Amino acid sequence: MSWVVREEPETVKIFSVVGARPQFIKAAALSRVLRREHQEILVHTGQHYDDNMSKVFFDELDIPQPDFNLEVGSGNHGAQTGAMLASLEKLLVVERPDWVLVYGDTNSTLAGALAASKLQIKLAHVEAGLRSFNRKMPEEINRVIADHLADLLICPSQTALDNLESEGFGAVYML
């Protein structure tokens, strides 16, 4: 007779960065799953900050309240992303997560990806491989850079997977 011993899964510390409405919606589903077996630190950059663009999503979707709110607010792309990057870097040094999780293509995404990369923390990007092929759009720059910095690319479609493969990412798998 043989026995299979199931080891308890290792708890991973995940630093989730959100800041805009689409990210709140995705985090609502993913945070619930992550928190079943892992430690999640939810950070709201404050990119979308008023009640109708932020608080209502946390309330209505029953998203855990952020552990940190950077309250960055509005501003031009450089100032907003720079403020997020500086604040995220400070938190990451203190919290020392195993992974940083970013969503989509916002300035929050870019700041989270850059902070993780510079501190050599593994990065996962939800919605990897999405492309508009319009480099005049700031969101296109954000998503391409996040993909190129990520250790784990979470693709939402076959098209996204194909985009990454055509950019030379090699073996990419859709989750």
Side-chain angles (χ1 to χ4, degrees):
M1 173 182 277
S2 64
W3 293 86
V4 176
V5 177
R6 182 172 180 251
E7 293 183 25
E8 288 298 315
E10 180 182 332
T11 299
V12 175
K13 189 174 187 180
I14 302 165
F15 190 92
S16 296
V17 179
V18 297
R21 292 169 295 180
Q23 295 165 332
F24 305 149
I25 294 166
K26 292 171 197 87
L30 197 49
S31 285
R32 286 185 191 97
V33 174
L34 290 175
R35 288 170 184 241
R36 287 182 198 152
E37 295 184 9
H38 303 290
Q39 179 187 359
E40 182 190 36
I41 299 166
L42 186 60
V43 179
H44 185 337
T45 64
Q47 183 171 342
H48 287 174
Y49 51 87
D50 74 18
D51 285 352
N52 292 327
M53 293 177 71
S54 180
K55 186 179 183 313
V56 68
F57 287 88
F58 283 84
D59 293 344
E60 295 294 322
L61 297 174
D62 198 29
I63 304 169
Q65 288 303 304
D67 297 287
F68 299 98
N69 188 332
L70 306 182
E71 299 180 352
V72 170
S74 301
N76 66 41
H77 292 287
Q80 187 182 59
T81 306
M84 290 176 196
L85 177 58
S87 294
L88 289 170
E89 183 179 57
K90 288 176 188 174
L91 286 174
L92 288 168
V93 168
V94 171
E95 293 295 332
R96 302 173 47 91
D98 300 300
W99 284 85
V100 171
L101 176 64
V102 296
Y103 298 84
D105 58 12
T106 67
N107 289 339
S108 299
T109 307
L110 179 60
L114 288 170
S117 178
K118 289 182 176 287
L119 293 172
Q120 299 179 2
I121 300 169
K122 290 181 183 178
L123 175 67
H125 182 205
V126 173
E127 292 188 315
L130 295 182
R131 297 291 184 266
S132 68
F133 302 103
N134 180 355
R135 292 287 177 106
K136 293 180 181 176
M137 294 175 58
E139 295 85 359
E140 182 74 353
I141 301 303
N142 294 346
R143 68 176 69 103
V144 169
I145 292 171
D147 284 348
H148 282 269
L149 295 176
D151 298 285
L152 176 62
L153 299 162
I154 303 170
C155 301
S157 67
Q158 184 63 47
T159 301
L161 185 71
D162 294 343
N163 289 338
L164 291 173
E165 288 177 347
S166 74
E167 291 176 22
F169 277 86
V172 180
Y173 304 96
M174 188 166 64
L175 298 178

